[in-house]
Every structure is written in structure tokens, then in C-alpha cells.
Amino acid sequence: MSFASSGGRLGRRQFLGGAAAGLVAGTASGAAAQGQGPLQGALQVPAWTREQGEGVASPPYGVPSPFEKAVGRRPRTKPAFPTAASTGTPLQDLHGIITPSGLHYERHHAGVPAIDPEQHRLVIHGLVDRPLVLTMNDIARFPSVSRLWFLECSGNTPQWTGGSAKWTVQETHGLISCSEWTGVRLSTLLDEVGLRPQGRWILAEGADGAAMSRSIPLDVALDDALIAYAQNGEHLRPEQGYPLRLVLPGIEGNMSIKWLRRLKVGDQPFQTREETSKYTDLMPDGTARQFTFVMEAKSVITSPSGGHQLRDKGFYEIRGLAWSGRGRITAVDVSTDGGATWRRAELQAPVLSRCLTRFRLPWTWEGGPALLQSRAVDETGYVQPVRQQLVDVRGVNSQYHFNGIQTWKVEPTGEVSNAA
Ligand code: CO
């Protein structure tokens, strides 16, 4: 929902231009025709101020305003099989960096299992000195940590060969979300079981109907990885792995195994379906890159973005998100002319490693065509590439790990569409 039409207090700079100035001055409207300016009309006490509101605890677990019912997760395409599907986060409707838990993107391979936490167990075995079977109560007793991290599906932004002009940012970039995760560090549990020196890889297996399984190299497992039971202050949502999931910061989302039931330490990768047939990157010479884990620096403008309609010329705040699987974002540059010139955006604190970073830039739309782009730089010095730079190296068959610069096209009519 846009609040752009609400009259705000104007500072020295008139952000809302003529429309708001006219509002305060009392230009013609229905109210004015009845001998009242809009100011007098807006000062009248509305119906909901004349009566008592809803009582407390209705419902006990609060839900968004009914006026926000258009905000929700949606699939980009109709899934071929309903339990093997994905839905995107509505980035165009969100503010700040935290994704509400109920709007976190989904990617399931056999639906969402209904797991009783009393019966759930985590087994840690393989090349360890003391194999363990842990209950949820056992896991809750270990020292806990909380981390703000993004999760991004490596299939996010399927634009290797371009995308549909009709796609919104939910459809181009919605397979990213950001949460505060709380749980036990994986390294804490590995200390508890006693990792043997030959241990190099860890198989993580989910309790869903797909038994989703991935091989995690030891350096990733020891790099702050979490066995999480909470998200944004409450227990995980069922669709996010309740009651237990792996969370690997900066790593393709598929490896952060949900409904985690087993960790097996081995001396080599386990070559599961999800790292041989799927989640590999097909190169132009016919070979496939395997074990491409890190999500490289990327950014996207969320407002204005595909499907938006600019109504009036004048001030707009360009807003967007940037992130890097390799650390902090250090800069985001924004272009309104398709990359001919760039301006540095303001980064909203906190700017955290492997977390979403919110950026903003003031812009005056003169009413002509514009091509809006953002370009992220991370603390390693890596600069988000244009699509051609990616294609030159990887061809167009990769399917996964597209992090090219996104272009939104603004028409003189104010219509905004995907120009990737
Ligand atoms: Co990959």
C-alpha cells in the first residue's frame, strides 16, 4: 500500500510539490464545494474516533490490518507440482531490512512436514568420537547466539536470458529474505561430539518427504553456521523448518537444510541429488560447476520497481536492498540513466555482514523516460556486474547464481517495468 497521497508536514523542502501545497491552500475538491477546504475536512473527527475499537487479544496472535491483505507471498509461475514449489517475498511492500516471518520466501521440495517437537531428534554421527541423539530440549540448553542474516535461493532472479517485462521485484528478486536467527552454533555441537581429524564434509539431512540433503564443507560449517530454532524472536515457522534448521550465512539457501534431523561427518562430499543433478551451474563448454556455495554481491531497487505507476513529476525516494554472501556492503551506486552516470546512495545503519542493507537516494523525476539501476560493492571490493559480464564467463545455461544489475524502465507515462 502506498501512503504517497497522505498530506505530511512539509519541511523547508517541498517533497510533495504542488499537490500537497494545493491541499494546504485549500484547492477545489468535494469538501471545498460544500464551503469547506480539504484542511477543514481532514480535521473533522472520523467515524472510528467516535466509537470504541476492538478489544485486546482479538486475535491472541496479531495479524496485519485487513487493509494490507494484498501483501503476500506468491509463486512466480504456477507450480507443476504443488508441494515442490516456491513463493517470493513481496519486497515492493516491505521496509527496513527484516522480513516478517510470515512473508519469508519459501522453496519446498516435498511440502511442509508437520513435526511434533517432542518427537523430533537431531542425530550427529559419522566421523565423530561421541555420536549424539539430541532432543529439542537438549538443543535449547546449549549456549545460544542470534544473528541477522539474509537467505537467498540460488535460483533467485532467473534472468540469464532476460525476463518478462511484466515481472515485479517480487518475481525477479523475491527469493531473498532476512531474519534474526537464534540457535546453537554448529561448531559448539561439533565440539560436543568430537570431530575426528579425517572429518572434512558434513551431510545435513531434512525430515521432509524429500529428505533434502546437502554436503557442507567443514570451513562453511565452522564459519558461524547456526542450528536455529528461532526466527525473529519466536520459534521457526513450519515453512521455515520448524522445529530446527541449519542456517549457513551467505550461502545458497538450499543448503540451509530445514526440518534438520541428521548431521553425518564424512571425509568427502556425499554427492546427493541436490548437488549433482540440481544446484549445479551448466557452463558453455557443457561441464557443470559443482559446489558453488557463496551468494555474490547483489542489489535491487524495490521502489520504484516493476508494476509501479509514478503519478506525478517531482520528488521520489529511490529505495532498495543490497547484500553480499562475502561480508558487508560498502557502497551502492544508483543510476537513473541506464548506467551512464551514477550517484552514491545512503546506506541505512546497521550495515551488517551477510545481512540485507537498505539504501536510499533522492530523485526528481522530470517526467521523461528513465532506466533505474543499482550496483552494490562489498567489503572484498567486488562490484556487482552487468549481465553481459556474467554471460561472458558463464554463458546463459547457468540457471542459478544470477547477480547481475537489475534495470527498471520508467516510461514518460510513469509506468515502470522490468527491462532485464
Ligand atoms: Co550454487
Side-chain angles (χ1 to χ4, degrees), residues 154 252 279 281 292-293 401:
S154 54
E252 62 184 6
Y279 296 96
D281 312 319
T292 51
F293 300 140
H401 293 285

Side-chain angles (χ1 to χ4, degrees), residues 55-390:
V56 297
S58 74
Y61 199 130
V63 295
S65 161
F67 295 99
E68 299 295 327
K69 63 174 180 282
V71 177
R73 294 182 289 210
R74 273 177 204 93
R76 190 180 65 248
T77 51
K78 192 169 161 48
F81 197 68
T83 53
S86 65
T87 60
T89 291
L91 299 175
Q92 70 279 8
D93 296 315
L94 300 184
H95 304 270
I97 58 172
I98 299 296
T99 309
S101 299
L103 294 176
H104 193 292
Y105 83 84
E106 302 169 280
R107 174 70 176 104
H108 313 311
H109 295 74
V112 178
I115 298 177
D116 176 354
E118 293 287 326
Q119 295 179 46
H120 189 71
R121 298 289 181 270
L122 174 65
V123 177
I124 310 176
H125 66 139
L127 296 174
V128 300
D129 292 329
R130 298 172 294 278
L132 266 183
V133 178
L134 297 168
T135 66
M136 289 305 300
N137 285 333
D138 294 335
I139 291 165
R141 287 184 59 195
F142 282 93
S144 61
V145 297
S146 296
R147 297 278 190 266
L148 281 159
W149 287 331
F150 75 82
L151 273 184
E152 183 182 19
C153 177
S154 54
N156 197 21
T157 320
Q159 302 201 120
W160 281 101
T161 54
S164 164
K166 292 182 176 165
W167 281 353
T168 66
V169 69
Q170 184 168 11
E171 291 164 308
T172 60
H173 289 75
L175 297 183
I176 185 160
S177 302
C178 186
S179 297
E180 184 197 54
W181 304 100
T182 300
V184 187
R185 296 185 73 187
L186 177 51
S187 59
T188 302
L189 295 183
L190 292 176
D191 281 347
E192 189 75 8
V193 295
L195 194 60
R196 291 195 180 155
Q198 319 91 288
R200 287 286 174 270
W201 290 76
I202 301 175
L203 178 79
E205 182 185 87
D208 57 327
M212 175 55 61
S213 307
R214 290 294 304 261
S215 305
I216 319 293
L218 200 57
D219 60 334
V220 170
L222 297 179
D223 182 18
D224 220 17
L226 276 191
I227 307 296
Y229 42 76
Q231 176 187 9
N232 297 331
E234 61 183 355
H235 281 274
L236 298 172
R237 294 293 172 95
E239 68 272 29
Q240 292 308 322
Y242 184 88
L244 197 65
R245 78 173 300 171
L246 189 58
V247 184
L248 304 176
I251 301 296
E252 62 184 6
N254 176 259
M255 293 173 64
S256 287
I257 298 292
K258 293 176 287 192
W259 313 294
L260 184 70
R261 69 178 292 266
R262 187 161 75 104
L263 294 166
K264 182 179 184 182
V265 180
D267 60 359
Q268 54 189 317
F270 291 79
Q271 307 293 357
T272 74
R273 172 184 178 273
E274 310 302 331
E275 54 208 25
T276 51
S277 168
K278 306 297 178 187
Y279 296 96
T280 61
D281 312 319
L282 186 58
M283 301 296 284
D285 66 0
T287 61
R289 283 186 180 177
Q290 195 183 16
F291 305 123
T292 51
F293 300 140
V294 177
M295 302 308 292
E296 300 287 356
K298 188 168 171 180
S299 67
V300 67
I301 292 168
T302 56
S303 177
S305 60
H308 282 169
Q309 174 71 49
L310 307 187
R311 290 176 301 175
D312 304 303
K313 286 189 262 187
F315 174 78
Y316 285 87
E317 185 173 69
I318 294 176
R319 300 167 183 161
L321 294 164
W323 61 95
S324 169
R326 296 196 188 272
R328 285 179 184 78
I329 289 294
T330 51
V332 177
D333 295 312
V334 169
S335 177
T336 58
D337 53 17
T341 60
W342 296 89
R343 290 164 65 201
R344 188 137 290 186
E346 178 201 341
L347 303 184
Q348 170 72 60
V351 178
L352 301 172
S353 179
R354 303 183 286 198
C355 181
L356 289 186
T357 296
R358 173 67 64 175
F359 67 85
R360 303 187 177 97
L361 185 80
W363 176 49
T364 300
W365 181 50
E366 307 287 2
L371 294 170
L372 308 182
Q373 299 181 329
S374 62
R375 182 178 65 192
V377 183
D378 73 15
E379 64 179 306
T380 70
Y382 178 92
V383 180
Q384 185 183 2
V386 295
R387 174 158 81 240
Q388 195 55 49
Q389 290 173 288
L390 288 171

Side-chain angles (χ1 to χ4, degrees), residues 1-36:
M1 171 152 291
S2 168
F3 293 108
S5 61
S6 63
R9 182 179 154 192
L10 299 181
R12 287 174 56 218
R13 186 170 173 181
Q14 289 201 318
F15 291 112
L16 301 184
L23 182 70
V24 173
T27 41
S29 72
Q34 294 163 27
Q36 270 189 344

